[in-house]
């Protein structure tokens, strides 16, 4: 089958020459432009024994030789939404430096407190972001422009941006943020206003489609690994010690799986993608009982979204972003494990650790800092070239343009037949199935 090119919305013809210098003109600052004919395939493994399927070709991200906007006459805005994540300030900084220093954009504004800052009724005026304002913000966690959850009326947000004279908006956030950005993009197209809306994918959960690694994930796994090591130390120090660590991961268990592999000291990793049982011959309690009889200690890592079917919830509350508020599987497991062993007259010492926000309010580590810079610069390139309604994806270590509609129509999950989960099973030795 013929490969399918993934189309990205364009605001119009690119009639302005890029101010970025060519390699031939300035060997000290090489900058090779990306050709419009260059694409990155989604699938790189081909099985010749099977029927070939049509492959998706994503537009390669990067600077274009001609651009849509006249940089000197363009204003840009940046907004951060959702929960905190290591690297937010890095992205803000790199966007400001790319737009102002490389392209010559005269004004870059920071929208305060997420999408709420795009509704004037809330009374949060934007911040002016100059080079000096962002010079050292990458050294601290959080976001200097603030964040929030919850949507706003796209028509209201667009009118506010038009009044500010903004032609480019960079939305830094997860799938909820990018769904809001997609609505804003659609409203701008409906009204005929040439607004470039470009998303930078952000989530410690690493669950955005067509993004092999979102920024913040690596830093979160680093911190989680250290906490698992502490839980292991605690568990080994007492008779029948159980180190129980609850990590972030509502719908996808990437943090739990990654930290488990990094630590090498986890015996059971429980993630939302796999159902598990507590009772029965193959249930967690029976398997844990056998482990303690042999080794006298164990470490369990559980993602916050795991085991929700075990918890009895009479009503389901939702947060401002529309996400269901899950029951606390960590507290539940602690209680059930303790009760099970006490009922048998056995000693049990559960050491429960819930780091929660402690793994996301950090400054980015080295790998995440590099990724943040790459994502931000390519977002600036995409917007200047008049691309809109897209996020910067990360496929096979290459930056690509992914339409927001594709990126937000589902969540990336840990594949139970994939290499990551197979690695977890190999390291932990846990059952492949609990049921």
């Amino acid at each position: 089958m013929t490969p399918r090119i993934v189309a990205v919305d364009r605001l119009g013809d690119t009639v302005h020459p890029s101010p970025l210098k060519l390699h031939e003109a300035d060997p000290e600052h090489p900058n090779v432009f990306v050709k419009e004919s260059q694409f990155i395939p989604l699938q790189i493994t081909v099985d010749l024994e099977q029927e070939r399927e049509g492959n998706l070709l994503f537009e390669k991200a990067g600077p274009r030789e001609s651009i849509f906007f006249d940089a000197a006459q363009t204003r840009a805005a940046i907004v951060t939404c959702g929960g905190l994540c290591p690297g937010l300030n890095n992205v803000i900084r790199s966007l400001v430096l790319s737009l102002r220093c490389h392209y010559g954009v005269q004004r870059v504004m920071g929208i305060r407190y997420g999408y709420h800052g795009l509704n004037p009724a809330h009374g949060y005026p934007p911040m002016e972001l100059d080079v000096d304002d962002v010079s050292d913000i990458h050294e601290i966690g959080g976001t200097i422009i603030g964040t929030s959850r919850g949507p706003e009326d796209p028509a209201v947000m667009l009118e506010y941006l038009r009044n500010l004279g903004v032609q480019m908006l960079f939305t830094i956030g997860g799938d909820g943020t990018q769904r809001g950005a997609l609505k804003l993009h659609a409203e701008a197209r409906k009204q005929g206003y040439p607004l470039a809306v470009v998303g930078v994918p952000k989530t410690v959960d690493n669950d955005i489609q067509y993004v092999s690694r979102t920024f913040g994930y690596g830093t979160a796994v680093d911190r989680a690994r250290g906490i698992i090591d502490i839980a292991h130390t605690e568990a080994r120090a007492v008779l029948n010690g159980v180190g129980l660590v609850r990590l972030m991961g509502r719908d996808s268990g990437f943090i739990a799986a990654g930290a488990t592999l990094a630590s090498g000291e986890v015996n059971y990793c429980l993630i939302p993608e796999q159902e598990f049982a507590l009772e029965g011959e193959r249930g967690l309690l029976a398997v844990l009982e056998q482990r303690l009889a042999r080794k006298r200690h164990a470490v369990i890592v559980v993602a916050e979204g795991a085991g929700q079917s075990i918890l009895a919830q009479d009503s389901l509350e939702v947060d401002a972003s529309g996400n269901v508020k899950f029951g606390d599987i960590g507290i539940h497991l602690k209680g059930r494990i303790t009760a099970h062993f006490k009922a048998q007259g056995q000693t049990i010492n559960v050491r429960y650790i819930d780091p929660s926000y402690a793994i996301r309010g950090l400054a980015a580590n080295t790998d995440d800092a590099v990724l943040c810079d790459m994502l931000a610069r390519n977002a600036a390139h995409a917007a200047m070239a008049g691309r809109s309604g897209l996020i910067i994806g990360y496929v096979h270590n290459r930056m690509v343009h992914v339409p927001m509609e594709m990126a937000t129509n589902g969540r990336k999950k840990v594949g139970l037949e994939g290499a990551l989960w197979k690695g977890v099973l190999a390291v932990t030795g846990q059952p492949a199935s609990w049921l």
Side-chain angles (χ1 to χ4, degrees), residues 12-155:
D13 295 334
T14 53
V15 297
H16 299 283
S18 173
L20 303 181
K21 296 179 179 179
L22 284 168
H23 173 70
E24 291 79 10
D26 187 359
E28 297 297 323
H29 299 87
N31 195 350
V32 179
F33 292 122
V34 173
K35 298 178 180 179
E36 297 295 348
S37 58
Q38 292 179 309
F39 294 83
I40 304 297
L42 178 61
Q43 303 294 337
I44 59 172
T45 300
V46 176
D47 188 343
L48 297 179
E49 295 181 355
Q50 296 182 357
E51 182 180 353
R52 299 184 184 183
E53 298 181 356
N55 202 353
L56 296 181
L57 298 180
F58 288 108
E59 192 175 69
K60 185 178 180 181
R64 265 52 182 181
E65 190 168 7
S66 58
I67 57 179
F68 178 78
F69 291 105
D70 179 356
Q73 305 298 321
T74 302
R75 292 182 181 181
I78 303 169
V79 63
T80 55
C81 304
L84 292 184
C85 178
L88 284 168
N89 281 332
N90 298 66
V91 175
I92 295 171
R93 180 178 186 269
S94 293
L95 279 171
V96 172
L97 294 179
S98 294
L99 293 169
R100 293 186 65 90
C101 299
H102 299 160
Y103 277 102
V105 173
Q106 297 301 302
R107 290 189 65 186
V108 181
M109 288 170 271
I111 304 301
R112 304 300 308 279
Y113 303 112
Y115 286 143
H116 294 336
L118 289 175
N119 185 343
H122 294 301
Y124 306 131
M127 292 175 55
E128 292 288 340
L129 297 176
D130 204 344
V131 173
D132 291 339
D133 299 320
V134 300
S135 61
D136 58 0
I137 63 172
H138 59 299
E139 299 173 5
I140 59 175
T143 164
I144 63 165
I145 57 179
T147 185
S148 69
R149 295 188 183 276
E152 293 288 342
D153 186 335

Side-chain angles (χ1 to χ4, degrees), residues 188-220:
R189 297 297 273 172
K190 174 183 174 183
Q191 295 190 25
Y193 182 65
L195 175 70
V197 183
V198 178
V200 180
K202 171 234 71 175
T203 169
V204 292
D205 289 346
N206 195 37
D207 60 359
I208 298 181
Q209 297 187 117
Y210 309 110
V211 184
S212 58
R213 180 167 64 90
T214 52
F215 75 84
Y217 168 71
T219 305

Side-chain angles (χ1 to χ4, degrees), residues 388-435:
S388 186
L390 74 146
I391 69 165
I392 302 301
Y394 191 43
V395 177
H396 313 311
N397 292 322
R398 297 291 187 273
M399 296 288 165
V400 298
H401 296 161
V402 180
M404 286 174 175
E405 188 171 6
M406 288 183 64
T408 59
N409 67 1
R411 291 178 187 248
K412 188 173 67 173
K413 304 278 189 178
V414 175
L416 298 183
E417 299 300 324
L420 175 62
W421 189 243
K422 295 297 185 184
V424 168
L425 295 180
V427 167
T428 62
Q430 71 186 56
S433 173
W434 300 97
L435 304 176

Side-chain angles (χ1 to χ4, degrees), residues 339-422:
H340 175 81
F341 283 90
K342 284 188 174 181
Q344 297 184 1
Q346 297 186 49
T347 299
I348 188 71
N349 290 284
V350 180
R351 302 294 191 254
Y352 178 54
I353 305 176
D354 181 359
S356 190
Y357 300 113
I359 70 171
R360 73 180 197 179
L362 311 168
N365 65 11
T366 301
D367 285 344
D368 271 336
V370 172
L371 180 59
C372 287
D373 181 67
M374 293 171 62
L375 288 166
R377 281 189 292 106
N378 281 288
H381 295 322
M384 291 302 302
R387 304 301 198 269
S388 186
L390 74 146
I391 69 165
I392 302 301
Y394 191 43
V395 177
H396 313 311
N397 292 322
R398 297 291 187 273
M399 296 288 165
V400 298
H401 296 161
V402 180
M404 286 174 175
E405 188 171 6
M406 288 183 64
T408 59
N409 67 1
R411 291 178 187 248
K412 188 173 67 173
K413 304 278 189 178
V414 175
L416 298 183
E417 299 300 324
L420 175 62
W421 189 243
K422 295 297 185 184

